[in-house]
Amino acid sequence: MRDTSYLAVDEQRLEANLAAMAAHADALGVALRPHAKTHKSLEVARRQLAHGAVGLTVATVAEAEIFAAGGCRDLFLAYPIWAEGPRADRLRALARIARLRVGADSVEGVRMLAAAVRAGRRGEAPASALEGAAPLAIAVEVDSGHHRSGLAPERAAEVAAAALDAGLAVDGVFTFPGHSYGVGAGAAAAADEARALAIARDALTAAGIPCPVVSGGSTPSAGAAEGGVLTELRPGVYVFGDAQQWELGTCVPDSIALTAHATVVSRRDGVVVVDAGSKALGADRPGWASGFGRVLEVPEARITALSEHHATIALPPGIAAPALGSRLRLVPNHVCSAVNLADELVVERDGVEVSTWPVSARGANT
Amino acid sequence: MRDTSYLAVDEQRLEANLAAMAAHADALGVALRPHAKTHKSLEVARRQLAHGAVGLTVATVAEAEIFAAGGCRDLFLAYPIWAEGPRADRLRALARIARLRVGADSVEGVRMLAAAVRAGRRGEAPASALEGAAPLAIAVEVDSGHHRSGLAPERAAEVAAAALDAGLAVDGVFTFPGHSYGVGAGAAAAADEARALAIARDALTAAGIPCPVVSGGSTPSAGAAEGGVLTELRPGVYVFGDAQQWELGTCVPDSIALTAHATVVSRRDGVVVVDAGSKALGADRPGWASGFGRVLEVPEARITALSEHHATIALPPGIAAPALGSRLRLVPNHVCSAVNLADELVVERDGVEVSTWPVSARGANT
């Protein structure tokens, strides 16, 4: 028996989720390049590649370094990297061991990237894994409705042209339709994504810039994605699922592959408190969510409050409160946040612990 | 130049905060037992003890283990520990190297604690640092209005009597007035705290059980705490301050001693995006907060959205958007969550890096 709280992975459910998304991408005729920020695990990454993923998506240079060192040599850093200071040297070193694509949404950003690559040209081996290949490729990030980073799709060619001028390669365009995170919002976000990416792709083509990669995808929008415009999908959360996906209807409880095991430590009428709080689950709580996570064994229950080491669970009338000392499996609202709080994932098969996997890229924020 | 994002501590502000709370406790005539969950740092703990703290408060057995190993031998585990499995052995081992007080809010919980202590009696050294002292002391947790763990104060003697019956020592009573986290709520929560603790103390006294320790305190209520009932304060956040305290009015921006350094990576009219998101700041966002954190240099700005590695910062009309590549210092909403995401704290004096301190108890969730 392990002391709670800890994160546990149901290996069979994980495998089923990996297979299902691989089949979905196959059916759409698009490449699958899953976002590794969700699991931060070399073991899960290897399984994704074994299921046919063309490479991985990452969010930070530090994540790229960890997955490249772990053997994944085709990486998309889907973030508008500002390549100054030590990060410039780190990018150059990375590009010597991996095929590297980096996001960009500004002319200044691509010039900084190009300067970073040039800074290493004299006396260093070329910043590319492949002799003769372009040293570093960019993909232009466009906004499809989430209004985070990314420029207007009509303007994608400005950044692509600046990249070519500065001596970088251009792979194509990408977006993150993060506004898919809302009840019933997935299909509309997928349509926005396709529209924005088509505009961006056409802008590049009109400027005479080839656009082989048209990359989109989030877990809530992936189900509604169409193969017509997209050439690549980048979902992340699908590997484990979480309470957000459960409440959005993009996963079912029986497919949730990661839970926080917790113990009932306090109990009163209709309420129990367990020993997994925001330092185990993360504090994510969108307005449309029913609470701070869910309880796998008691779908009627709601996590009504979350402290650092307490989850307060309200039980509806007629549902008996679990006894002190009972163990419950909590489903985090946002699994990416929960995984990033743990040093390791406890792997279970049929409820029996069979292994632990390190969260190798935990805290890789630079 | 370090790559962003990272957490930086202003050492002079930290020292001023430590001195101010120590003076406040002195003026009240109460002992200061700060909650180490905020900083998880042996260096900060040593400074708290040097400023006169009587010991530390911790939330988990794992935190207690780390601070005990680091030299702090007087610990209050202010949590209703369920002492089953490996945790029972760990508690026993801890009690041999530290003076240990453990929270309890149920008769079942104290019986489980007593069983854990007894299980080690044969063939083991006594579970106490001091020859002849009680092996383990409990403090009864009562609810003062936060409605998390803790039993009704009128019932405190039930748990205390059960502890004595089971062979444990009783230090007294405690509460966490977490409902102090609301605009203007600090003084009322402090009054609730004093009222609940007085009832609990009197209940013990009426049952013939001495109650030398009456422990309360949170950073927002500490300022309004009175010395009459309390014998001990347990604030945590005061060491660093954060955006919640700023917005509650319990700290001023000039006293905020921990920030996340971030770089502007994307920019449009009135909006910049920086490279510190919920994986650096934490996702805490109470309803009364103005956003997902604050920007130390630009108090007029608001963090309107937070992704894992993006903070979207809205600037009001008339405030120029910082240039791409600019560095900003973000103030997390809840500093305890931010610290628990970092492996180290970068220590600065007059804005110059002088050291790094490991976050020794990061992730110590068991």
Side-chain angles (χ1 to χ4, degrees):
Chain A
M1 185 166 82
R2 275 183 183 265
D3 286 337
T4 52
S5 69
Y6 61 90
L7 298 186
V9 170
D10 182 316
E11 192 191 18
Q12 289 135 315
R13 289 184 177 192
L14 168 66
E15 274 296 322
N17 293 342
L18 295 176
M21 187 60 83
H24 179 60
D26 264 358
L28 289 178
V30 301
L32 183 62
R33 186 184 284 277
H35 210 310
K37 72 185 173 71
T38 300
H39 53 72
K40 291 180 173 272
S41 152
L42 294 173
E43 178 63 30
V44 177
R46 286 183 199 115
R47 289 172 185 233
Q48 289 175 314
L49 296 170
H51 275 277
V54 297
L56 297 180
T57 304
V58 294
T60 66
V61 175
E63 282 184 351
E65 289 167 339
I66 290 159
F67 286 103
C72 178
R73 303 300 166 93
D74 192 334
L75 295 166
F76 178 17
L77 226 170
Y79 194 87
I81 291 294
W82 188 257
E84 202 175 12
R87 187 178 283 130
D89 304 322
R90 294 165 60 207
L91 270 171
R92 227 169 23 250
L94 252 178
R96 279 197 292 277
I97 61 166
R99 207 281 169 188
L100 197 61
R101 182 200 302 161
V102 179
D105 76 350
S106 69
V107 170
E108 295 92 327
V110 293
R111 287 186 183 149
M112 189 61 85
L113 268 177
V117 173
R118 272 199 307 275
R121 283 272 165 80
R122 289 175 215 144
E124 278 191 25
S128 169
L130 306 169
E131 204 59 45
L136 193 82
I138 66 125
V140 182
E141 183 177 9
V142 298
D143 179 18
S144 56
H146 186 40
H147 308 321
R148 192 174 66 177
S149 47
L151 81 171
E154 294 79 5
R155 297 180 53 199
E158 295 172 25
V159 173
L164 293 174
D165 284 350
L168 300 175
V170 174
D171 271 4
V173 295
F174 79 107
T175 193
F176 174 65
H179 55 311
S180 60
Y181 279 79
V183 177
D192 289 345
E193 168 184 77
R195 196 178 313 118
L197 288 173
I199 294 170
R201 177 201 59 195
D202 293 349
L204 263 61
T205 309
I209 304 171
C211 185
V213 172
V214 180
S215 174
S218 67
T219 296
S221 61
E226 290 176 21
V229 175
L230 294 176
T231 69
E232 181 178 283
L233 270 185
R234 305 187 320 276
V237 172
Y238 76 96
V239 294
F240 296 134
D242 58 22
Q244 290 187 161
Q245 304 297 331
W246 178 356
E247 298 198 349
L248 290 174
T250 46
C251 80
V252 293
D254 283 352
S255 71
I256 291 174
L258 183 143
T259 53
H261 289 223
T263 301
V264 175
V265 296
S266 186
R267 187 172 185 271
R268 56 183 190 272
D269 282 352
V271 170
V272 295
V273 176
V274 302
D275 63 357
S278 60
K279 282 179 173 167
L281 301 171
D284 300 69
R285 206 277 195 217
W288 48 261
S290 72
F292 291 90
R294 294 289 287 266
V295 183
L296 200 59
E297 289 87 357
V298 194
E300 304 85 0
R302 290 296 180 275
I303 301 179
T304 55
L306 205 61
S307 303
E308 288 156 63
H309 296 284
H310 304 73
T312 302
I313 301 172
L315 300 153
I319 303 285
L324 281 167
S326 305
R327 292 196 168 205
L328 296 174
R329 287 175 294 167
L330 270 51
V331 184
N333 266 348
H334 186 189
V335 73
C336 308
S337 294
V339 167
N340 188 48
L341 291 162
D343 289 319
E344 63 179 15
L345 306 175
V346 175
V347 185
E348 297 182 343
R349 212 176 289 153
D350 296 319
V352 177
E353 181 176 330
V354 293
S355 180
T356 59
W357 295 340
V359 183
S360 304
R362 189 203 52 73
N365 280 348
T366 58
Chain B
M1 186 165 84
R2 274 181 184 267
D3 287 338
T4 53
S5 67
Y6 60 90
L7 298 186
V9 170
D10 182 316
E11 192 192 17
Q12 289 134 315
R13 289 183 176 192
L14 168 65
E15 274 296 321
N17 294 342
L18 295 177
M21 188 60 83
H24 178 62
D26 264 358
L28 289 178
V30 301
L32 183 62
R33 186 184 284 277
H35 209 312
K37 73 186 173 68
T38 299
H39 53 73
K40 291 179 173 275
S41 152
L42 294 174
E43 177 63 31
V44 177
R46 285 183 200 116
R47 290 172 183 233
Q48 289 175 316
L49 296 171
H51 276 276
V54 298
L56 296 179
T57 305
V58 295
T60 66
V61 175
E63 283 184 348
E65 289 167 338
I66 290 159
F67 286 102
C72 179
R73 303 300 168 91
D74 190 335
L75 295 165
F76 177 17
L77 228 170
Y79 194 88
I81 292 293
W82 188 256
E84 200 175 15
R87 186 177 283 130
D89 304 321
R90 295 165 59 209
L91 271 172
R92 227 171 22 250
L94 252 178
R96 280 197 292 274
I97 60 165
R99 205 282 169 188
L100 198 61
R101 181 201 303 160
V102 179
D105 77 350
S106 68
V107 169
E108 296 92 327
V110 293
R111 286 185 183 149
M112 188 63 82
L113 268 177
V117 173
R118 274 198 306 275
R121 284 269 167 81
R122 288 176 216 142
E124 276 190 29
S128 169
L130 305 168
E131 204 59 44
L136 193 80
I138 65 125
V140 182
E141 183 176 10
V142 298
D143 179 17
S144 55
H146 186 41
H147 308 321
R148 193 174 68 178
S149 46
L151 82 169
E154 294 78 6
R155 298 180 51 199
E158 296 173 23
V159 174
L164 293 175
D165 282 351
L168 300 176
V170 174
D171 271 2
V173 296
F174 78 108
T175 192
F176 174 66
H179 56 312
S180 61
Y181 279 79
V183 177
D192 289 345
E193 168 183 78
R195 195 178 313 119
L197 288 174
I199 294 169
R201 178 202 58 194
D202 294 348
L204 262 62
T205 308
I209 302 170
C211 185
V213 172
V214 180
S215 175
S218 68
T219 296
S221 61
E226 290 174 25
V229 176
L230 294 176
T231 68
E232 179 179 284
L233 271 184
R234 304 188 320 276
V237 172
Y238 77 96
V239 295
F240 296 134
D242 58 22
Q244 289 187 160
Q245 304 298 331
W246 179 356
E247 299 199 347
L248 291 175
T250 45
C251 78
V252 293
D254 283 352
S255 71
I256 291 174
L258 184 143
T259 53
H261 289 223
T263 301
V264 175
V265 296
S266 186
R267 189 174 184 268
R268 57 184 189 273
D269 283 351
V271 170
V272 294
V273 176
V274 302
D275 63 357
S278 61
K279 282 180 172 167
L281 301 172
D284 300 69
R285 207 276 195 218
W288 47 263
S290 72
F292 292 91
R294 293 291 287 267
V295 183
L296 200 60
E297 291 86 356
V298 195
E300 304 83 0
R302 289 296 181 274
I303 301 178
T304 55
L306 206 60
S307 303
E308 287 156 64
H309 296 284
H310 304 73
T312 302
I313 301 173
L315 301 153
I319 303 284
L324 281 167
S326 303
R327 292 193 168 207
L328 296 175
R329 289 176 293 167
L330 270 51
V331 184
N333 266 350
H334 186 189
V335 72
C336 309
S337 294
V339 167
N340 189 47
L341 291 162
D343 290 319
E344 63 179 16
L345 305 176
V346 175
V347 184
E348 296 183 342
R349 213 175 287 153
D350 296 318
V352 177
E353 180 176 331
V354 293
S355 181
T356 58
W357 294 340
V359 182
S360 304
R362 189 204 52 71
N365 280 348
T366 57

